[in-house]
Amino acid sequence: MLHVDNTSGAPEQNLPPLLLEAVRYAEDRHWEVVPGTWLVDGDGPACCSCGAPDCALPGAHPAEQDWRRRASAGPGVVRKWWTENPAASILLPAGRAFDVLDVPEVAGCLALARMERMGLQLGPVVAVPAAPGCGGRRLHFLVLPGVADKLPDMLRQIGWSPERLDLVARGEGDWVVAPPSRVGGYASAQWARPPSALNRWLPDAAELVSPLAYACGREASSPRQAPRRAAAVR
């Protein structure tokens, strides 16, 4: 259950949504959280708060260089950060409580349907808008940590060439942009499968790699979809 320290007396529903969700991730899931940049609206397209005109990840990267050290699962610390800056995007460091299997949205949806028919255990899945200049949304499957360095060998063992697939593992040094953070233009990260009591225990990546590889391989061979590597959207 989420407990938000509301000293102002305002109803919980009137508190900033990013604050509520950031505290929920820390308090309910014990995930480390770190503030990210945010989008600044103006006369033209929204730009990143970092000020770089050519920012590759507007609203979707850490606001501080020492973000790995600062990341915290303490609800009080997280609440303070988003009270001070309610617009900051919510970033969840990978390689700690979870790693991430990152695939294109179309392939991810195909794999999701197949995994559900197979009765596989699934963890939370994030749908992330495309980065500027990159094609298509991405799905991020949260799995037990430890897959980032093993994925190429895992793919070869089941007969896939890692270079052919738009399937990437993200671990230590990467991050997930968590809902409801606004990313890129006007779209926001969303949960394709939200965190719940049913998926508190994350799956082993080995259980998901085969259906994800199959779906990515099918998309790579499709005439409407040229293979492309994942962009640096975490």
Side-chain angles (χ1 to χ4, degrees):
M1 180 177 179
L2 174 64
H3 300 285
V4 175
D5 182 12
N6 185 4
T7 55
S8 67
E12 180 178 301
Q13 60 268 28
N14 293 336
L15 293 173
L18 288 166
L19 182 155
L20 287 171
E21 291 304 313
V23 172
R24 193 185 313 275
Y25 298 143
E27 192 166 61
D28 288 2
R29 302 295 290 205
H30 306 293
W31 287 340
E32 290 189 343
V33 178
V34 68
T37 54
W38 60 95
L39 293 176
V40 180
D41 293 309
D43 294 334
C47 59
C48 186
S49 63
C50 72
D54 57 348
C55 179
L57 299 171
H61 63 87
E64 304 290 342
Q65 290 188 349
D66 63 344
W67 64 272
R68 290 191 228 186
R69 181 186 61 81
R70 296 184 68 227
S72 175
V77 174
V78 173
R79 186 180 301 113
K80 179 177 181 293
W81 284 337
W82 270 270
T83 298
E84 294 173 347
N85 186 359
S89 60
I90 304 171
L91 307 183
L92 307 174
R96 301 183 183 187
F98 56 80
D99 277 2
V100 175
L101 294 174
D102 175 348
V103 298
E105 182 181 46
V106 172
C109 289
L110 175 65
L112 265 177
R114 187 179 184 199
M115 289 186 282
E116 287 172 348
R117 290 196 300 270
M118 295 167 64
L120 294 181
Q121 175 190 357
L122 293 169
V125 181
V126 189
V128 183
C134 299
R137 292 162 60 90
R138 311 286 302 182
L139 290 190
H140 292 171
F141 289 74
L142 274 58
V143 296
L144 290 173
V147 68
D149 296 330
K150 301 175 183 176
L151 182 61
D153 286 340
M154 293 171 69
L155 291 172
R156 293 187 189 99
Q157 288 171 7
I158 58 175
W160 292 98
S161 170
E163 293 74 23
R164 282 195 60 233
L165 302 179
D166 190 356
L167 169 56
V168 180
R170 304 199 180 277
E172 182 63 36
D174 288 324
W175 60 87
V176 172
V177 182
S181 305
R182 183 175 152 216
V183 180
Y186 295 97
S188 298
Q190 299 176 327
W191 288 111
R193 289 181 63 93
S196 71
L198 298 178
N199 60 26
R200 181 170 293 277
W201 303 107
L202 298 179
D204 190 313
E207 300 174 11
L208 309 190
V209 164
S210 181
L212 286 172
Y214 169 80
C216 289
R218 179 170 167 175
E219 280 301 298
S221 61
S222 170
R224 72 175 187 276
Q225 175 88 17
R228 57 177 176 263
R229 301 301 295 170
V233 174
R234 302 325 208 275

